[in-house]
């Protein structure tokens, strides 16, 4: 275990200094990590369609990326529990960078199976970003947990918005390197992930999770037994609040991935240029991250369940807009912005609720399980979205996803009414 900071060092607010440093490091790394994620979101579907020769396979880009994130969630969480967030996050960024290099090789060789593997490894970068948001809560207080988490989510905005607009710069780089035009953006992705890994490895000292675990151990009475180490699924089975938060995160992510992953293909098939596709995805990604501090403040100020309800309503509005305005580029773009905002409100509020519902010793395994379920749901949504687009069209896809979200809205309203009847309770 790493040496803990000396709380007697010079400084008027020594307890806040480690958290501030952690947030600065996480924000810096997420700017870089977001650049890689943004490029993958927009380029992956188009590269999958080009390499496979069919638009029906385009959904596999999101599917494989989310499967990769799901497969990495629990191992990265276990690594964090043993070695700390620093080692876990740096490892995830390195693996994602390798995936970007493999994507370039797959495009050059027109090897669709290799591209699927590359997209899986790139998905590990998403798992790393998800774990980074939880790392922001390790040393946060209950009254600031939502805002700390939201700040890290927000910091992804810069890179994630720039990523989908790397079509033309990527094509220029590809021309210089002699690789296919659509693979040029992954050069930026590989460099960004390498930079993020370096920031994590050098900056997260002291480690926030190891510090939180040490503080919990120091506060434990000497006569009491150490807390039992339980797997995430067991904790979720016994903790209804944590279980509710995980389901909200999973459904919100599945709805977002299913519609977002098919939007580039839908717009392209209807004659939209690459610049329009890139702008639409950029605005969507901006919606996902840019207002997350606002949603974090709402969660801390009014309650996590209220923040979740706000996000679910935005998701439902987005999907209904996609259903009714599928033939209009303007309405499709509007629906994607609303989709990003709804996802942000749900994930920020539900993640803060999840982090506060368990102790430090159970935080990493529960969060790993949450990310596994979240990305598994996203993978399922992405896998079903391709065939749904072919059979039902874009409007039908939006309507089907809206029906699922409507059920979750009703559940959230029921839970909120139950909380109000039971009187004041911790958020």
């Amino acid at each position: 275990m790493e040496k803990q900071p000396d709380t007697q060092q010079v400084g008027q607010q020594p307890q806040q200094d480690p958290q501030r440093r952690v947030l600065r490091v996480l924000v810096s790394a997420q700017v870089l990590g977001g650049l890689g994620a943004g490029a993958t979101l927009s380029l992956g579907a188009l590269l999958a369609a080009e390499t496979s020769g069919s638009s029906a396979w385009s959904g596999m880009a999101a599917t494989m990326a989310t499967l990769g994130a799901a497969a990495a969630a629990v191992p990265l969480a276990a690594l964090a529990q043993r070695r700390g967030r620093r080692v876990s996050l740096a490892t995830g960024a390195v693996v994602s960078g390798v995936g970007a290099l493999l994507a370039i090789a797959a495009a050059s060789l027109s090897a669709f199976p290799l591209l699927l593997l590359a997209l899986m490894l790139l998905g590990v970068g998403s798992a790393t970003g998800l774990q980074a948001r939880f790392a922001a809560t390790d040393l946060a207080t209950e009254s600031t947990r939502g805002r700390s988490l939201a700040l890290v989510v927000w910091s992804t905005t810069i890179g994630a918005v720039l990523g989908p607009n790397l079509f033309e710069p990527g094509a220029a780089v590809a021309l210089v390197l002699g690789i296919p035009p659509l693979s040029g953006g992954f050069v930026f992705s590989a460099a960004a992930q390498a930079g993020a890994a370096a920031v994590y490895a050098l900056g997260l000292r002291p480690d926030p999770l190891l510090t939180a675990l040490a503080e919990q151990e120091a506060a434990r009475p000497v006569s009491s037994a150490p807390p039992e180490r339980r797997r995430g699924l067991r904790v979720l089975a016994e903790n209804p609040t944590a279980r509710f938060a995980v389901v909200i995160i999973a459904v919100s992510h599945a709805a977002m991935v299913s519609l977002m992953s098919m939007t580039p293909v839908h717009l392209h098939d209807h004659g939209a240029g690459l610049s329009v596709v890139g702008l639409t995805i950029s605005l969507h990604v901006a919606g996902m991250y840019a207002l997350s501090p606002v949603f974090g403040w709402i969660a801390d100020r009014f309650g996590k369940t209220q923040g979740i309800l706000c996000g679910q309503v935005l998701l439902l509005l987005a999907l209904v807009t996609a259903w009714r305005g599928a033939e209009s580029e303007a309405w499709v773009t509007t629906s994607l912005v609303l989709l990003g905002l709804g996802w942000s409100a749900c994930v920020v509020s539900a993640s803060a609720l999840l982090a506060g519902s368990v102790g430090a010793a159970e935080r990493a395994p529960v969060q790993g399980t949450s990310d596994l379920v979240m990305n598994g749901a996203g993978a399922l949504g992405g896998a079903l979205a391709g065939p749904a687009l072919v059979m039902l069209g874009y409007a039908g896809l939006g309507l089907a996803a809206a029906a699922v979200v409507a059920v979750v809205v009703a559940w959230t309203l029921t839970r909120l009414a139950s909380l109000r009847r039971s009187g004041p309770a911790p958020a």
Side-chain angles (χ1 to χ4, degrees):
M1 182 176 294
E2 295 185 20
K3 182 180 179 181
Q4 303 307 316
D6 184 356
T7 58
Q8 301 303 316
Q9 290 178 355
V10 177
Q12 296 300 314
Q13 294 179 311
Q15 294 300 325
Q16 295 183 15
D17 290 343
Q19 174 68 351
R20 289 174 179 170
R21 177 177 176 80
V22 166
L23 289 177
R24 286 196 298 268
V25 172
L26 293 176
V27 165
S28 301
Q30 284 297 92
V31 169
L32 294 169
L35 180 64
T40 304
L41 283 175
S42 54
L43 292 171
L46 295 175
L47 192 57
E50 179 182 273
T51 306
S52 66
S54 171
S55 295
W57 288 101
S58 57
M60 290 302 293
T63 299
M64 298 308 293
T66 48
L67 279 176
V74 172
L76 285 178
L79 184 59
Q81 192 76 3
R82 293 195 309 269
R83 302 285 302 279
R85 300 285 192 191
R86 181 175 64 87
V87 173
S88 178
L89 295 174
T91 300
V94 168
V95 173
S96 182
V98 172
L101 296 177
L102 282 181
I104 297 171
S108 301
L109 299 172
S110 296
F112 185 57
L114 182 60
L115 177 63
L116 296 181
L117 174 61
L119 291 168
M120 261 191 96
L121 295 181
L122 278 162
V124 177
S126 298
T128 304
L130 292 174
Q131 188 176 119
R133 83 188 193 277
F134 283 126
T137 69
D138 288 333
L139 300 178
T141 64
E142 176 61 31
S143 62
T144 63
R145 184 171 289 120
R147 279 167 286 180
S148 295
L149 186 149
L151 177 62
V152 174
V153 174
W154 170 85
S155 64
T156 313
T157 306
I158 299 173
V161 171
L162 289 176
N165 290 289
L166 293 176
F167 288 113
E168 294 184 4
V173 170
L175 181 63
V176 172
L177 298 178
I179 57 179
L182 285 178
S183 67
F186 291 101
V187 176
F188 297 108
S189 181
Q193 292 294 349
V199 172
Y200 287 133
L202 299 175
L204 282 182
R205 298 174 184 271
D207 189 280
L209 181 57
L210 297 182
T211 301
L213 289 171
E215 289 176 352
Q216 178 178 280
E217 180 65 19
R220 182 176 60 85
V222 178
S223 59
S224 64
E228 178 187 0
R229 290 198 173 188
R230 301 186 297 174
R231 293 183 179 273
L233 286 175
R234 181 179 171 186
V235 175
L236 293 179
E238 299 174 359
N239 188 325
T241 300
R243 188 166 60 247
F244 170 75
V246 169
V247 172
I248 291 297
I249 293 171
V251 173
S252 303
H253 193 60
M256 187 275 291
V257 169
S258 62
L259 188 69
M260 177 276 299
S261 63
M262 290 299 100
T263 299
V265 178
H266 171 69
L267 290 174
H268 188 266
D269 289 347
H270 282 70
L274 290 180
S275 60
V276 173
V277 175
L279 176 62
T280 300
I281 297 300
S282 290
L283 292 174
H284 165 69
V285 175
M288 290 174 64
Y289 301 116
L291 294 185
S292 54
V294 175
F295 296 127
W297 176 81
I298 290 174
D300 286 339
R301 176 67 179 81
F302 299 103
K304 275 65 174 178
T305 304
Q306 286 86 340
I308 289 170
L309 180 61
C310 173
Q312 289 295 315
V313 171
L314 285 170
L315 281 178
L316 187 59
L317 182 59
L319 295 167
V320 171
T321 301
W323 167 45
R324 300 296 298 170
E327 301 305 314
S328 166
E329 290 182 6
W331 282 115
V332 168
T333 301
T334 300
S335 71
L336 264 286
V337 173
L338 291 171
L339 189 73
L341 291 172
W343 179 91
S344 180
C346 288
V347 170
V348 166
S349 300
S351 297
L353 180 65
L354 178 63
S357 67
V358 295
E362 295 177 334
R363 194 166 294 155
V366 168
Q367 291 161 359
T369 302
S370 172
D371 290 346
L372 171 63
V373 175
M374 172 184 181
N375 287 293
L380 180 62
L384 295 177
L389 181 66
V390 174
M391 293 186 295
L392 304 176
Y394 192 77
L397 174 62
L399 182 60
V404 177
V405 172
V407 174
V408 179
V409 170
W411 183 24
T412 306
L413 286 169
T414 302
R415 174 180 170 81
L416 188 58
S418 176
L419 290 174
R420 287 175 175 172
R421 285 195 301 269
S422 63

